[in-house]
Amino acid sequence: MPERHIAEAGPTDVRLEELVRRVAASAKHGQVAEALIRRVGARELAVRPTLKEAVKATQRKLHQVGTAYSPGRVRYADWLARLRAARDEGDDAFRAACLQTMRLHASTRERLPILARFFQEILADLAPVRSVIDVACGLGPLAIPWMPLGPGATYHACDVYEDLAGFLQGYLPLAGVRGLADARDVISNPPAEEAQVALVLKFLPCAEQLEGGASLALLDALRCTHLLVSFPAASLGGRDKGMTEQYEATFREMIAERPWQVQRQAYAEELAFLVTKGRVPRGTPGGLEIELGH
């Protein structure tokens, strides 16, 4: 799917280039994929009276959809070294190290009480899963040891952070999958390859904050037979404001005109839907090319 272009502030806009430079120079957002900074910044420049206000608004939006969920101090090199050492000690040690690391990210931490059941129950009818695209993944790929993946499964993890992608590229071989991790703005540039399952876990509310209507466009664009879509059961502050009921109603209304099959699985921590889109048409471009050893 081609990247969308914002007419109000195109790529040659001097103000947009300055906004991208300022946001990318900040400690909190320096690792964010430039495509996302550029798209959010272009939209903010179109509605803000000054560059300074557009920069602040862009940073605020990036915080809402990403930084708020991340750990305060990121030590990816240390985490990867710990995971490699644990891998050498055996499966139990590796799982323990994965759990320890997942506790550092708000979204994956919330899933830990149900982790042993979550993927096994929802993906039971699809097991063994052969290929996965993990959209806006965060530290979600560290749950691979709990997923019903088949031998030789492929796993494409994508998020907006360059340093996170680098960490996951080193982690995926440890998890026993043929993996690829990259940093991208999945709304304007979703993965193009085919896969059996796409994981879209607790991301759609963030997608709508970035751009109204982005959720359905993303689900349509993902060339996967099945979509595992989930929503948080409470806010980051732990407050339940009838969120699951609201999310379910909105989600079902959004996909009402699609000929998709939907299975619902509810937990106290998370509301999940396994959506079956059907086969991807033959003869369309795609196919995950994975380079190992990185």
Side-chain angles (χ1 to χ4, degrees):
M1 189 171 87
E3 293 206 7
R4 303 174 188 179
H5 297 283
I6 308 299
E8 296 90 336
T12 58
D13 191 317
V14 175
R15 295 189 308 148
L16 178 57
E17 298 305 321
E18 178 61 17
L19 180 146
V20 171
R21 187 192 67 78
R22 293 187 189 184
V23 174
S26 66
K28 287 186 177 182
H29 306 111
Q31 292 293 329
V32 175
E34 183 179 311
L36 179 58
I37 299 175
R38 186 173 297 279
R39 184 165 62 81
V40 174
R43 190 170 297 277
E44 295 299 337
L45 279 171
V47 297
R48 306 289 174 181
T50 67
L51 173 62
K52 182 178 180 180
E53 290 180 79
V55 169
K56 288 184 177 180
T58 300
Q59 292 175 325
R60 183 165 57 248
K61 184 68 69 175
L62 294 175
H63 175 79
Q64 291 171 349
V65 302
T67 314
Y69 299 88
S70 301
R73 297 186 65 184
V74 179
R75 297 177 176 176
Y76 287 130
D78 292 343
W79 298 356
L80 190 57
R82 184 172 63 225
L83 287 163
R84 283 174 174 154
R87 177 73 281 171
D88 291 339
E89 295 177 23
D91 290 346
D92 289 344
F94 185 66
R95 284 183 172 229
C98 289
L99 287 172
Q100 181 182 1
T101 308
M102 282 189 283
R103 290 191 180 96
L104 301 174
H105 190 279
S107 183
T108 49
R109 182 170 61 245
E110 292 170 347
R111 192 175 298 123
L112 293 185
I114 56 172
L115 183 59
R117 303 166 51 202
F118 186 78
F119 295 104
Q120 293 293 334
E121 291 177 352
I122 298 173
L123 300 177
D125 292 342
L126 308 182
V129 175
R130 303 179 304 277
S131 54
V132 175
I133 296 174
D134 196 342
V135 175
C137 61
L139 293 180
L142 273 72
I144 286 175
W146 290 266
M147 297 180 189
L149 304 183
T154 61
Y155 199 102
H156 181 182
C158 47
D159 204 289
V160 296
Y161 295 101
E162 299 281 356
D163 52 355
L164 172 61
F167 163 72
L168 292 174
Q169 188 64 60
Y171 160 80
L172 291 172
L174 302 178
V177 298
R178 294 187 295 137
L180 170 69
D182 62 4
R184 65 170 65 208
D185 174 7
V186 295
I187 293 175
S188 65
N189 184 28
E193 74 271 10
E194 298 178 13
Q196 183 183 6
V197 177
L199 304 181
V200 190
L201 302 180
K202 295 192 282 190
F203 175 63
L204 294 190
C206 294
E208 288 300 312
Q209 287 188 58
L210 286 170
E211 182 177 333
S215 294
L216 186 57
L218 173 62
L219 298 184
D220 281 336
L222 290 170
R223 301 176 62 242
C224 301
T225 309
H226 306 278
L227 310 171
L228 175 49
V229 180
S230 76
F231 298 90
S235 66
L236 276 179
R239 296 185 297 275
D240 181 355
K241 305 174 183 178
M243 289 174 60
T244 55
E245 293 83 357
Q246 180 180 349
Y247 281 140
E248 178 166 7
T250 301
F251 179 66
R252 290 190 180 275
E253 180 181 3
M254 180 180 70
I255 65 171
E257 296 184 3
R258 299 295 186 271
W260 298 343
Q261 299 177 18
V262 180
Q263 300 177 53
R264 179 183 186 273
Q265 189 78 28
Y267 301 91
E269 296 82 359
E270 197 164 349
L271 174 65
F273 299 94
L274 181 62
V275 177
T276 300
K277 296 176 69 174
R279 292 182 58 83
V280 176
R282 291 184 178 182
T284 51
L288 176 58
E289 297 181 2
I290 295 175
E291 187 174 351
L292 302 177
H294 291 277

